[in-house]
Amino acid sequence: MKNKFKKILVLGSGALKIGEAGEFDYSGSQAIKALKEEKVKVILINPNIATFQTSKTFADEVYFLPINEYFVEKVIKKERPGGICLSFGGQTALNCGLALDKEGIFKKYKVEILGSPISSIELTEDREKFAEHLRGINIPVPPSGSATSFKEAKKIAERIGFPLMIRAAFALGGQKSGVANNMEELEEIVSGALSVSPQVLIEKYLHHYKEIEYEVVRDKFGNCVTVCNMENLDPLGIHTGDSIVVAPSQTLNNDEYHGLREASIKIVQSLKIVGECNVQFALNPHPTSLPPPFSSPYGRGRLGRGMDYFVIEVNARLSRSSALASKATGYPLAYVAAKLALGKSLLEVGNKITKVTQSFFEPALDYVVVKMPRWDLSKFIGAVEHIGSAMKSVGEVMAIGRSFEEALEKAVRMQSGLFESVTDHNFKDKKELKYFLYTPTPKRIFAVAENIKRGVTVRKVHQLTGIDPWFLYRIENIVNTETLLRRRLRKGKKFLNKEDILKLKQTGFSDRKIGKLCGKTELEVRDLRKKLGITPYVFAIDTLAGEVPAKTNYLYLTYHGGHHDVKPSGKNAIMVLGSGPYHIGSSVEFDWSSVYTALALSKY
């Protein structure tokens, strides 16, 4: 297909903030790369000088200007682009695009919106219209209503009943959202939400429901694939950006997985999305115990035998979840979305990982990915550590392993060296430990492990936290492995054999952690491990689980293996160290410098 556009405008996300971080530098950069391949002149608006997408050698023209209607119109008037991309700059770009369309700017300058039509974006952003649309195609949404004042909100609350989830429309990162258990809390949250948005959605709070996400890609011809499905370790109520997320999902049965996949495709098809879309579901883990408020007329989703679900949200744009799905599967979501926005079909866009298949192949994963958020709440005086439906994390890490335990323990260590294992903690006493188990905070995963270590049953922890027993049993396995080692050492066994060390490594323990348990240094454990021939295997993310040979640079190490997917580079190679997860003081500027270092080195 020949591209008809000579010049395209791409909107960035502006300054990094909680809820909009490096994921939109990634998506914008991928989009620019895809458009440049089609011989299109790319105009970028983004005032963030630290991002890779604003580099001198990338877009043809870069305007360091605010992402708002006034300045974007000025650029459109000057550059006269044929098309504009709204979905690669997060909520900021999307809101700006909606405002420009409302003012008739696109029509005035004959600018075509590339990707999903504006009507689809408006549907997903307006909570009330979105709920009505889904009910119209027999997709269940929680009992809800929209309000523009507290008076209206109060009426809805009286009709539905507490507890309630309150969300602000057109807001990023769940800003000013929260759970209200009574009228006093409702008034506080609604007034806060209406201070940043003209509309709030009030819906029944689905206590301890699982949160499941699907990343769906669709072209303008109606071809559709689900690229990745993910499961939040935390139940509904914790923003997905603040939750530990696992890909692919581990606790769904076959009916649930395919039923939700079918529903996500049905939604995306009905909205006529072009490009990438994120669909978030609430899944009842105990469908037989569905309480009365969820009966007719609101609807119940029935998939397979006794399964109940509701749709929580649809993002008709790239998001933080999209960046995770893209890296977790190796499927270049933003790159493919940009190609589809130009009018190409999935059959025409090649898979950059395999180099032989096309983009309509759904990835199959033979590994487990764990995303763990990174917070810097201690740097904000007076900040509440409690996490909920409004995102507070400043970044995240992604760990890959061949077991959940291996990936989880890696993720804990990637948090800039705060802890070596999920079994480490700094709780002062039983009272504090109890608080951090009952209350969702960044420390909850460590409180879960410590409570299990102290004899609290998996069933009890599940009742208190809503975390699926499958994950809790995996954490219990880590705890038991450590406890067993301590017990054997107390009985006088001083040295570990090959079987002991291999089991510890496959369960995710680091050499430093093993050393602490055995009274040895990290290097002593490493030397012993290497003498016994226990070293990790290098595997590649191949998107199709080895079905087709992969040509990828996405690698991970695992102790669950027996071969290497790649050969060592040897002496003719240089290692570049990045800065790790974002934290205050270390952000996207080090992505920029690392990328340019790598590009410069590759020339030599």
Side-chain angles (χ1 to χ4, degrees):
M1 178 194 156
K2 196 175 178 183
N3 168 50
K4 67 176 182 178
F5 297 99
K6 292 180 180 177
K7 192 186 283 189
I8 289 173
L9 179 63
V10 176
L11 299 186
S13 64
L16 260 60
K17 43 203 170 287
I18 292 172
E20 277 185 341
E23 61 270 19
F24 297 112
D25 184 32
Y26 154 77
S27 60
S29 298
Q30 286 276 307
I32 293 168
K33 176 184 170 185
L35 296 172
K36 293 287 286 180
E37 285 180 359
E38 301 299 323
K39 305 292 187 286
V40 173
K41 186 174 182 180
V42 178
I43 314 300
L44 173 70
I45 305 178
N46 194 346
N48 192 337
I49 56 170
T51 56
F52 181 70
Q53 64 182 246
T54 56
S55 301
K56 188 180 177 181
T57 56
F58 217 45
D60 295 281
E61 303 284 350
V62 181
Y63 288 87
F64 293 102
L65 293 170
I67 315 293
N68 63 34
E69 307 92 277
Y70 176 82
F71 286 106
V72 174
E73 184 188 355
K74 294 285 185 190
V75 174
I76 289 172
K77 186 178 179 180
K78 180 176 182 283
E79 294 288 349
R80 298 297 173 118
I84 185 168
C85 291
L86 306 177
S87 59
F88 301 99
Q91 197 68 43
T92 300
L94 213 60
N95 287 350
C96 180
L98 288 170
L100 286 164
D101 182 71
K102 196 174 181 180
E103 291 173 16
I105 303 302
F106 297 142
K107 197 173 182 181
K108 180 181 176 181
Y109 295 101
K110 296 182 174 61
V111 180
E112 191 174 324
I113 296 167
L114 302 182
S116 299
I118 207 84
S119 57
S120 301
I121 296 169
E122 285 175 335
L123 256 183
T124 58
E125 292 297 309
D126 188 306
R127 301 283 181 175
E128 186 64 22
K129 288 180 182 176
F130 173 64
E132 284 176 17
H133 173 80
L134 292 189
R135 288 191 193 109
I137 58 170
N138 294 319
I139 296 287
V141 290
S144 65
S146 65
T148 54
S149 68
F150 174 67
K151 190 178 178 181
E152 290 178 11
K154 189 178 176 182
K155 285 181 181 177
I156 296 165
E158 287 168 350
R159 173 169 60 85
I160 298 173
F162 293 102
L164 296 165
M165 170 63 78
I166 293 92
R167 303 172 193 271
F170 311 102
L172 64 92
Q175 189 181 12
K176 299 291 183 182
S177 64
V179 177
N181 294 294
N182 51 54
M183 280 296 175
E184 191 179 330
E185 290 178 2
L186 179 75
E187 187 172 6
E188 184 184 341
I189 299 168
V190 167
S191 60
L194 289 175
S195 70
V196 298
S197 172
Q199 183 199 59
V200 292
L201 178 78
I202 299 159
E203 63 187 25
K204 189 70 183 176
Y205 175 52
L206 307 172
H207 183 62
H208 281 179
Y209 271 50
K210 293 183 187 181
E211 186 166 355
I212 311 292
E213 299 180 67
Y214 280 75
E215 294 292 327
V216 188
V217 171
R218 179 186 179 273
D219 64 25
K220 72 173 189 178
F221 305 101
N223 301 307
C224 217
V225 292
T226 56
V227 171
C228 183
N229 101 303
M230 297 169 280
E231 176 173 10
N232 288 17
L233 184 136
D234 297 291
L236 202 70
I238 309 297
H239 193 284
T240 186
D242 276 357
S243 183
I244 294 172
V245 179
V246 184
S249 58
Q250 300 296 305
T251 73
L252 302 188
N253 62 36
N254 203 44
D255 279 346
E256 290 168 340
Y257 173 82
H258 287 286
L260 293 178
R261 177 185 175 276
E262 188 181 324
S264 66
I265 290 174
K266 185 178 181 181
I267 293 163
V268 170
Q269 292 283 26
S270 74
L271 291 168
K272 293 185 168 50
I273 297 293
V274 176
E276 190 272 346
C277 187
N278 167 267
V279 185
Q280 296 172 18
F281 294 99
L283 179 66
N284 187 356
H286 310 294
T288 53
S289 61
L290 203 69
F294 301 103
S295 58
S296 186
Y298 303 112
R300 287 169 65 174
R302 307 294 298 181
L303 297 175
R305 189 187 300 171
M307 173 183 160
D308 296 280
Y309 77 99
F310 298 92
V311 173
I312 300 303
E313 194 168 29
V314 172
N315 285 313
R317 58 171 174 80
L318 276 292
S319 66
R320 185 167 291 192
S321 295
S322 313
L324 168 63
S326 190
K327 299 293 168 68
T329 61
Y331 188 104
L333 272 169
Y335 174 89
V336 172
K339 295 281 189 182
L340 301 183
L342 289 174
K344 287 180 176 287
S345 76
L346 283 166
L347 286 73
E348 295 174 275
V349 184
N351 183 318
K352 288 282 181 179
I353 300 298
T354 63
K355 308 284 188 184
V356 290
T357 59
Q358 301 306 101
S359 291
F360 56 78
F361 276 71
E362 290 193 355
L365 311 188
D366 54 2
Y367 49 87
V368 180
V369 171
V370 172
K371 181 218 82 175
M372 183 176 275
R374 156 86 193 214
W375 293 268
D376 259 355
L377 298 176
S378 60
K379 291 181 181 175
F380 297 97
I381 296 168
V384 180
E385 198 169 24
H386 181 277
I387 56 173
S389 57
M391 200 194 303
K392 289 184 177 179
S393 61
V394 293
E396 66 281 307
V397 301
M398 185 182 90
I400 311 170
R402 303 283 280 195
S403 71
F404 175 74
E405 293 92 326
E406 185 178 49
L408 178 65
E409 290 284 80
K410 278 186 184 182
V412 169
R413 289 196 294 279
M414 286 174 171
Q415 297 282 316
S416 300
L418 300 172
F419 293 113
E420 280 297 306
S421 167
V422 75
T423 58
D424 294 339
H425 69 90
N426 53 11
F427 301 116
K428 289 184 291 187
D429 48 39
K430 281 185 178 180
K431 186 181 177 183
E432 189 177 78
L433 182 61
K434 186 179 179 181
Y435 168 80
F436 283 107
L437 181 65
Y438 278 72
T439 312
T441 72
K443 295 177 184 175
R444 179 180 253 184
I445 192 75
F446 303 100
V448 165
E450 185 60 22
N451 272 277
I452 290 173
K453 190 189 287 187
R454 295 188 184 198
V456 180
T457 64
V458 163
R459 185 178 178 183
K460 180 68 174 173
V461 175
H462 167 64
Q463 286 173 349
L464 292 172
T465 64
I467 298 172
D468 191 278
W470 189 92
F471 295 118
L472 297 175
Y473 281 119
R474 305 274 64 76
I475 293 168
E476 186 182 54
N477 184 37
I478 296 170
V479 170
N480 289 346
T481 302
E482 180 180 318
T483 304
L484 186 64
L485 177 61
R486 287 181 187 275
R487 198 175 294 153
R488 289 173 68 184
L489 290 169
R490 278 199 300 270
K491 287 180 179 178
K493 185 175 180 182
K494 293 181 180 178
F495 298 105
L496 299 173
N497 59 31
K498 186 173 182 177
E499 188 181 334
D500 292 334
I501 292 180
L502 181 60
K503 186 181 179 184
L504 286 163
K505 299 305 289 183
Q506 287 181 338
T507 315
F509 286 87
S510 66
D511 291 347
R512 186 180 295 176
K513 177 68 175 177
I514 296 168
K516 281 181 180 178
L517 294 170
C518 299
K520 295 181 181 293
T521 67
E522 179 182 3
L523 291 177
E524 283 175 330
V525 174
R526 183 172 184 265
D527 287 342
L528 174 62
R529 175 172 59 75
K530 292 184 80 174
K531 280 176 187 173
L532 294 171
I534 302 170
T535 53
Y537 295 93
V538 182
F539 280 28
I541 290 179
D542 62 8
T543 79
L544 292 174
E547 190 181 335
V548 176
K551 297 174 183 177
T552 177
N553 61 343
Y554 279 17
L555 307 175
Y556 68 97
L557 274 68
T558 180
Y559 284 88
H560 296 270
H563 71 279
H564 296 297
D565 282 351
V566 294
K567 292 178 181 177
S569 300
K571 295 289 183 184
N572 191 30
I574 292 175
M575 181 180 285
V576 179
L577 298 184
S579 64
Y582 286 177
H583 41 282
I584 294 168
S586 179
S587 186
V588 71
E589 62 273 13
F590 299 113
D591 183 42
W592 183 93
S593 57
S594 298
V595 170
Y596 266 93
T597 302
L599 290 173
L601 289 170
S602 65
K603 292 177 183 176
Y604 300 94

Short mmCIF file of all heavy atoms in Angstrom, two decimals, residues 137-140 212-214 216 226 229 249 252-268 279-283 301-305 307-311 362:
data_model
loop_
_atom_site.label_atom_id
_atom_site.label_comp_id
_atom_site.label_asym_id
_atom_site.label_seq_id
_atom_site.Cartn_x
_atom_site.Cartn_y
_atom_site.Cartn_z
N ILE A 137 -23.82 -3.63 23.49
CA ILE A 137 -23.27 -4.81 22.80
C ILE A 137 -23.19 -6.01 23.76
O ILE A 137 -22.42 -6.94 23.55
CB ILE A 137 -21.89 -4.52 22.16
CG1 ILE A 137 -20.86 -4.06 23.22
CG2 ILE A 137 -22.00 -3.50 21.04
CD1 ILE A 137 -19.43 -4.00 22.71
N ASN A 138 -23.99 -5.94 24.84
CA ASN A 138 -24.09 -7.02 25.83
C ASN A 138 -22.77 -7.35 26.53
O ASN A 138 -22.47 -8.51 26.81
CB ASN A 138 -24.66 -8.30 25.18
CG ASN A 138 -26.09 -8.10 24.72
OD1 ASN A 138 -26.89 -7.48 25.42
ND2 ASN A 138 -26.40 -8.59 23.53
N ILE A 139 -21.98 -6.30 26.77
CA ILE A 139 -20.76 -6.44 27.57
C ILE A 139 -21.06 -5.80 28.92
O ILE A 139 -21.45 -4.63 28.98
CB ILE A 139 -19.55 -5.75 26.91
CG1 ILE A 139 -19.21 -6.42 25.57
CG2 ILE A 139 -18.34 -5.76 27.84
CD1 ILE A 139 -18.56 -7.79 25.66
N PRO A 140 -20.88 -6.53 30.03
CA PRO A 140 -21.28 -6.00 31.34
C PRO A 140 -20.32 -4.95 31.89
O PRO A 140 -19.10 -5.07 31.76
CB PRO A 140 -21.29 -7.24 32.23
CG PRO A 140 -20.30 -8.15 31.59
CD PRO A 140 -20.37 -7.91 30.12
N ILE A 212 -7.66 -8.03 35.27
CA ILE A 212 -7.03 -8.67 34.12
C ILE A 212 -6.99 -7.66 32.96
O ILE A 212 -7.97 -6.94 32.74
CB ILE A 212 -7.81 -9.93 33.67
CG1 ILE A 212 -8.11 -10.85 34.87
CG2 ILE A 212 -7.06 -10.66 32.57
CD1 ILE A 212 -6.91 -11.51 35.50
N GLU A 213 -5.89 -7.62 32.23
CA GLU A 213 -5.76 -6.69 31.10
C GLU A 213 -5.42 -7.45 29.81
O GLU A 213 -4.69 -8.44 29.85
CB GLU A 213 -4.65 -5.67 31.37
CG GLU A 213 -4.88 -4.79 32.57
CD GLU A 213 -3.73 -3.81 32.77
OE1 GLU A 213 -3.56 -2.92 31.92
OE2 GLU A 213 -3.00 -3.95 33.76
N TYR A 214 -5.95 -6.95 28.72
CA TYR A 214 -5.61 -7.47 27.39
C TYR A 214 -5.14 -6.31 26.52
O TYR A 214 -5.79 -5.26 26.47
CB TYR A 214 -6.82 -8.15 26.73
CG TYR A 214 -7.08 -9.56 27.22
CD1 TYR A 214 -7.65 -9.77 28.47
CD2 TYR A 214 -6.74 -10.67 26.45
CE1 TYR A 214 -7.88 -11.06 28.95
CE2 TYR A 214 -6.98 -11.96 26.91
CZ TYR A 214 -7.54 -12.14 28.16
OH TYR A 214 -7.77 -13.42 28.63
N VAL A 216 -4.78 -5.24 22.82
CA VAL A 216 -5.38 -5.65 21.54
C VAL A 216 -4.93 -4.72 20.43
O VAL A 216 -4.85 -3.50 20.62
CB VAL A 216 -6.92 -5.64 21.63
CG1 VAL A 216 -7.54 -6.27 20.38
CG2 VAL A 216 -7.40 -6.37 22.88
N THR A 226 -4.85 -10.27 19.95
CA THR A 226 -4.52 -9.91 21.33
C THR A 226 -3.04 -10.22 21.52
O THR A 226 -2.61 -11.36 21.43
CB THR A 226 -5.37 -10.69 22.35
OG1 THR A 226 -5.21 -12.09 22.12
CG2 THR A 226 -6.83 -10.31 22.24
N ASN A 229 -1.83 -10.80 27.43
CA ASN A 229 -2.78 -10.66 28.54
C ASN A 229 -1.98 -10.64 29.83
O ASN A 229 -0.96 -11.31 29.96
CB ASN A 229 -3.85 -11.75 28.50
CG ASN A 229 -3.59 -12.88 29.47
OD1 ASN A 229 -2.54 -13.49 29.41
ND2 ASN A 229 -4.53 -13.14 30.34
N SER A 249 -1.03 -14.16 32.26
CA SER A 249 -1.77 -14.43 33.49
C SER A 249 -1.54 -15.88 33.92
O SER A 249 -1.40 -16.77 33.09
CB SER A 249 -3.26 -14.18 33.28
OG SER A 249 -3.75 -14.99 32.22
N LEU A 252 -5.81 -17.87 35.50
CA LEU A 252 -7.05 -18.04 34.74
C LEU A 252 -7.16 -19.46 34.20
O LEU A 252 -6.16 -20.05 33.78
CB LEU A 252 -7.10 -17.07 33.55
CG LEU A 252 -7.00 -15.57 33.84
CD1 LEU A 252 -7.27 -14.78 32.56
CD2 LEU A 252 -7.95 -15.13 34.93
N ASN A 253 -8.39 -20.00 34.20
CA ASN A 253 -8.57 -21.28 33.52
C ASN A 253 -8.82 -21.03 32.03
O ASN A 253 -8.87 -19.87 31.59
CB ASN A 253 -9.70 -22.10 34.17
CG ASN A 253 -11.05 -21.39 34.09
OD1 ASN A 253 -11.37 -20.72 33.10
ND2 ASN A 253 -11.86 -21.54 35.14
N ASN A 254 -8.97 -22.06 31.27
CA ASN A 254 -9.08 -21.92 29.81
C ASN A 254 -10.33 -21.12 29.40
O ASN A 254 -10.27 -20.27 28.51
CB ASN A 254 -9.11 -23.31 29.16
CG ASN A 254 -8.65 -23.27 27.70
OD1 ASN A 254 -7.66 -22.61 27.40
ND2 ASN A 254 -9.36 -23.94 26.83
N ASP A 255 -11.47 -21.40 30.07
CA ASP A 255 -12.70 -20.65 29.78
C ASP A 255 -12.52 -19.17 30.03
O ASP A 255 -12.94 -18.32 29.24
CB ASP A 255 -13.85 -21.16 30.66
CG ASP A 255 -14.49 -22.43 30.11
OD1 ASP A 255 -14.22 -22.74 28.94
OD2 ASP A 255 -15.24 -23.09 30.84
N GLU A 256 -11.89 -18.84 31.16
CA GLU A 256 -11.70 -17.44 31.52
C GLU A 256 -10.77 -16.72 30.54
O GLU A 256 -11.07 -15.62 30.08
CB GLU A 256 -11.14 -17.35 32.95
CG GLU A 256 -12.15 -17.75 34.02
CD GLU A 256 -11.53 -17.93 35.39
OE1 GLU A 256 -10.30 -18.13 35.47
OE2 GLU A 256 -12.27 -17.89 36.39
N TYR A 257 -9.64 -17.37 30.24
CA TYR A 257 -8.67 -16.73 29.34
C TYR A 257 -9.30 -16.44 27.98
O TYR A 257 -9.23 -15.31 27.47
CB TYR A 257 -7.43 -17.62 29.16
CG TYR A 257 -6.49 -17.08 28.10
CD1 TYR A 257 -5.57 -16.08 28.41
CD2 TYR A 257 -6.54 -17.53 26.78
CE1 TYR A 257 -4.74 -15.55 27.45
CE2 TYR A 257 -5.71 -17.00 25.81
CZ TYR A 257 -4.81 -16.01 26.15
OH TYR A 257 -3.99 -15.48 25.19
N HIS A 258 -9.91 -17.45 27.37
CA HIS A 258 -10.46 -17.26 26.03
C HIS A 258 -11.76 -16.45 26.04
O HIS A 258 -12.06 -15.74 25.08
CB HIS A 258 -10.66 -18.62 25.35
CG HIS A 258 -9.37 -19.25 24.92
ND1 HIS A 258 -8.66 -18.79 23.84
CD2 HIS A 258 -8.66 -20.28 25.44
CE1 HIS A 258 -7.56 -19.51 23.70
NE2 HIS A 258 -7.53 -20.42 24.67
N GLY A 259 -12.52 -16.55 27.14
CA GLY A 259 -13.74 -15.76 27.24
C GLY A 259 -13.44 -14.27 27.30
O GLY A 259 -14.07 -13.46 26.60
N LEU A 260 -12.46 -13.89 28.11
CA LEU A 260 -12.08 -12.48 28.22
C LEU A 260 -11.39 -12.00 26.94
O LEU A 260 -11.56 -10.85 26.53
CB LEU A 260 -11.16 -12.26 29.43
CG LEU A 260 -11.81 -12.47 30.80
CD1 LEU A 260 -10.78 -12.27 31.91
CD2 LEU A 260 -13.00 -11.54 31.01
N ARG A 261 -10.64 -12.88 26.31
CA ARG A 261 -10.00 -12.53 25.03
C ARG A 261 -11.08 -12.22 23.99
O ARG A 261 -11.00 -11.22 23.26
CB ARG A 261 -9.13 -13.69 24.55
CG ARG A 261 -8.48 -13.47 23.18
CD ARG A 261 -7.73 -14.72 22.71
NE ARG A 261 -7.23 -14.52 21.37
CZ ARG A 261 -7.94 -14.73 20.26
NH1 ARG A 261 -9.21 -15.13 20.35
NH2 ARG A 261 -7.41 -14.53 19.07
N GLU A 262 -12.08 -13.07 23.93
CA GLU A 262 -13.19 -12.88 22.98
C GLU A 262 -13.93 -11.56 23.26
O GLU A 262 -14.26 -10.80 22.34
CB GLU A 262 -14.16 -14.06 23.12
CG GLU A 262 -15.26 -14.10 22.07
CD GLU A 262 -16.20 -15.28 22.28
OE1 GLU A 262 -15.72 -16.36 22.69
OE2 GLU A 262 -17.40 -15.11 22.07
N ALA A 263 -14.14 -11.26 24.56
CA ALA A 263 -14.83 -10.02 24.93
C ALA A 263 -14.01 -8.80 24.56
O ALA A 263 -14.54 -7.80 24.07
CB ALA A 263 -15.11 -10.02 26.44
N SER A 264 -12.68 -8.87 24.77
CA SER A 264 -11.82 -7.72 24.44
C SER A 264 -11.82 -7.44 22.94
O SER A 264 -11.87 -6.28 22.51
CB SER A 264 -10.39 -7.95 24.95
OG SER A 264 -9.76 -9.01 24.27
N ILE A 265 -11.82 -8.49 22.14
CA ILE A 265 -11.86 -8.31 20.68
C ILE A 265 -13.21 -7.73 20.26
O ILE A 265 -13.28 -6.83 19.41
CB ILE A 265 -11.58 -9.66 19.95
CG1 ILE A 265 -10.10 -10.05 20.14
CG2 ILE A 265 -11.93 -9.57 18.47
CD1 ILE A 265 -9.75 -11.42 19.61
N LYS A 266 -14.28 -8.21 20.88
CA LYS A 266 -15.62 -7.70 20.56
C LYS A 266 -15.72 -6.20 20.85
O LYS A 266 -16.29 -5.43 20.08
CB LYS A 266 -16.66 -8.48 21.39
CG LYS A 266 -18.11 -8.11 21.06
CD LYS A 266 -19.08 -8.95 21.89
CE LYS A 266 -20.54 -8.61 21.56
NZ LYS A 266 -21.47 -9.41 22.38
N ILE A 267 -15.14 -5.77 21.98
CA ILE A 267 -15.15 -4.36 22.36
C ILE A 267 -14.36 -3.52 21.36
O ILE A 267 -14.84 -2.48 20.88
CB ILE A 267 -14.57 -4.18 23.79
CG1 ILE A 267 -15.50 -4.81 24.83
CG2 ILE A 267 -14.35 -2.70 24.11
CD1 ILE A 267 -14.84 -5.03 26.18
N VAL A 268 -13.15 -3.97 21.05
CA VAL A 268 -12.29 -3.21 20.13
C VAL A 268 -12.90 -3.13 18.74
O VAL A 268 -12.84 -2.09 18.08
CB VAL A 268 -10.87 -3.85 20.10
CG1 VAL A 268 -10.01 -3.26 18.99
CG2 VAL A 268 -10.18 -3.66 21.45
N VAL A 279 -7.65 -3.12 27.26
CA VAL A 279 -8.95 -3.41 27.87
C VAL A 279 -8.72 -4.00 29.25
O VAL A 279 -7.98 -4.97 29.40
CB VAL A 279 -9.79 -4.39 27.02
CG1 VAL A 279 -11.17 -4.57 27.62
CG2 VAL A 279 -9.90 -3.91 25.57
N GLN A 280 -9.37 -3.40 30.28
CA GLN A 280 -9.19 -3.86 31.66
C GLN A 280 -10.49 -4.48 32.17
O GLN A 280 -11.57 -3.87 32.07
CB GLN A 280 -8.79 -2.68 32.55
CG GLN A 280 -7.44 -2.09 32.17
CD GLN A 280 -7.12 -0.81 32.91
OE1 GLN A 280 -7.73 -0.51 33.93
NE2 GLN A 280 -6.17 -0.05 32.39
N PHE A 281 -10.36 -5.69 32.72
CA PHE A 281 -11.51 -6.43 33.22
C PHE A 281 -11.43 -6.61 34.73
O PHE A 281 -10.34 -6.71 35.30
CB PHE A 281 -11.56 -7.84 32.60
CG PHE A 281 -11.81 -7.87 31.12
CD1 PHE A 281 -10.76 -8.02 30.22
CD2 PHE A 281 -13.10 -7.77 30.61
CE1 PHE A 281 -10.99 -8.08 28.85
CE2 PHE A 281 -13.34 -7.81 29.25
CZ PHE A 281 -12.29 -7.96 28.37
N ALA A 282 -12.60 -6.70 35.36
CA ALA A 282 -12.71 -7.15 36.75
C ALA A 282 -13.34 -8.54 36.70
O ALA A 282 -14.42 -8.71 36.14
CB ALA A 282 -13.59 -6.20 37.56
N LEU A 283 -12.67 -9.52 37.25
CA LEU A 283 -13.12 -10.91 37.20
C LEU A 283 -13.41 -11.40 38.62
O LEU A 283 -12.56 -11.31 39.50
CB LEU A 283 -12.05 -11.79 36.55
CG LEU A 283 -12.36 -13.28 36.44
CD1 LEU A 283 -13.52 -13.54 35.50
CD2 LEU A 283 -11.11 -14.04 35.97
N GLY A 301 -21.69 -10.64 33.14
CA GLY A 301 -20.98 -11.31 32.06
C GLY A 301 -20.83 -12.78 32.39
O GLY A 301 -20.28 -13.13 33.42
N ARG A 302 -21.33 -13.66 31.54
CA ARG A 302 -21.23 -15.10 31.78
C ARG A 302 -20.33 -15.70 30.73
O ARG A 302 -20.63 -15.69 29.55
CB ARG A 302 -22.61 -15.76 31.70
CG ARG A 302 -23.68 -15.11 32.59
CD ARG A 302 -23.41 -15.27 34.06
NE ARG A 302 -23.39 -16.66 34.48
CZ ARG A 302 -23.18 -17.03 35.73
NH1 ARG A 302 -22.95 -16.15 36.66
NH2 ARG A 302 -23.19 -18.30 36.05
N LEU A 303 -19.17 -16.19 31.15
CA LEU A 303 -18.25 -16.83 30.23
C LEU A 303 -17.94 -18.22 30.77
O LEU A 303 -17.39 -18.35 31.86
CB LEU A 303 -16.94 -16.03 30.11
CG LEU A 303 -17.07 -14.61 29.54
CD1 LEU A 303 -15.73 -13.92 29.61
CD2 LEU A 303 -17.56 -14.63 28.12
N GLY A 304 -18.30 -19.23 30.03
CA GLY A 304 -18.08 -20.57 30.55
C GLY A 304 -19.01 -20.84 31.71
O GLY A 304 -20.02 -20.19 31.90
N ARG A 305 -18.67 -21.81 32.55
CA ARG A 305 -19.54 -22.20 33.65
C ARG A 305 -19.31 -21.32 34.88
O ARG A 305 -18.24 -21.33 35.48
CB ARG A 305 -19.27 -23.66 34.01
CG ARG A 305 -20.27 -24.22 35.00
CD ARG A 305 -19.87 -25.59 35.46
NE ARG A 305 -19.78 -26.52 34.33
CZ ARG A 305 -19.27 -27.74 34.44
NH1 ARG A 305 -18.81 -28.16 35.59
NH2 ARG A 305 -19.22 -28.53 33.39
N MET A 307 -18.92 -18.05 35.42
CA MET A 307 -17.90 -17.00 35.44
C MET A 307 -18.54 -15.63 35.29
O MET A 307 -19.39 -15.42 34.44
CB MET A 307 -16.91 -17.23 34.30
CG MET A 307 -15.91 -16.11 34.14
SD MET A 307 -14.86 -16.44 32.74
CE MET A 307 -14.27 -14.80 32.41
N ASP A 308 -18.16 -14.70 36.15
CA ASP A 308 -18.70 -13.35 36.11
C ASP A 308 -17.59 -12.33 35.94
O ASP A 308 -16.56 -12.42 36.61
CB ASP A 308 -19.45 -13.05 37.42
CG ASP A 308 -20.65 -13.96 37.58
OD1 ASP A 308 -21.68 -13.68 36.98
OD2 ASP A 308 -20.51 -14.97 38.32
N TYR A 309 -17.83 -11.37 35.05
CA TYR A 309 -16.81 -10.34 34.83
C TYR A 309 -17.48 -9.02 34.48
O TYR A 309 -18.66 -8.98 34.12
CB TYR A 309 -15.88 -10.76 33.69
CG TYR A 309 -16.48 -10.59 32.31
CD1 TYR A 309 -16.19 -9.48 31.52
CD2 TYR A 309 -17.37 -11.53 31.81
CE1 TYR A 309 -16.77 -9.31 30.27
CE2 TYR A 309 -17.95 -11.36 30.56
CZ TYR A 309 -17.64 -10.26 29.79
OH TYR A 309 -18.23 -10.09 28.57
N PHE A 310 -16.72 -7.95 34.63
CA PHE A 310 -17.15 -6.61 34.23
C PHE A 310 -16.00 -5.92 33.54
O PHE A 310 -14.83 -6.19 33.84
CB PHE A 310 -17.59 -5.78 35.44
CG PHE A 310 -18.76 -6.34 36.19
CD1 PHE A 310 -18.57 -7.20 37.27
CD2 PHE A 310 -20.05 -6.02 35.82
CE1 PHE A 310 -19.65 -7.72 37.96
CE2 PHE A 310 -21.13 -6.53 36.50
CZ PHE A 310 -20.94 -7.38 37.57
N VAL A 311 -16.31 -5.02 32.61
CA VAL A 311 -15.27 -4.20 31.98
C VAL A 311 -15.11 -2.93 32.81
O VAL A 311 -16.08 -2.26 33.14
CB VAL A 311 -15.65 -3.84 30.53
CG1 VAL A 311 -14.65 -2.85 29.94
CG2 VAL A 311 -15.68 -5.09 29.68
N GLU A 362 -0.12 -13.98 17.03
CA GLU A 362 -0.23 -13.64 18.45
C GLU A 362 0.95 -14.26 19.20
O GLU A 362 1.22 -15.45 19.06
CB GLU A 362 -1.55 -14.16 19.03
CG GLU A 362 -2.76 -13.42 18.52
CD GLU A 362 -4.03 -13.70 19.32
OE1 GLU A 362 -3.97 -14.55 20.22
OE2 GLU A 362 -5.06 -13.05 19.05
#
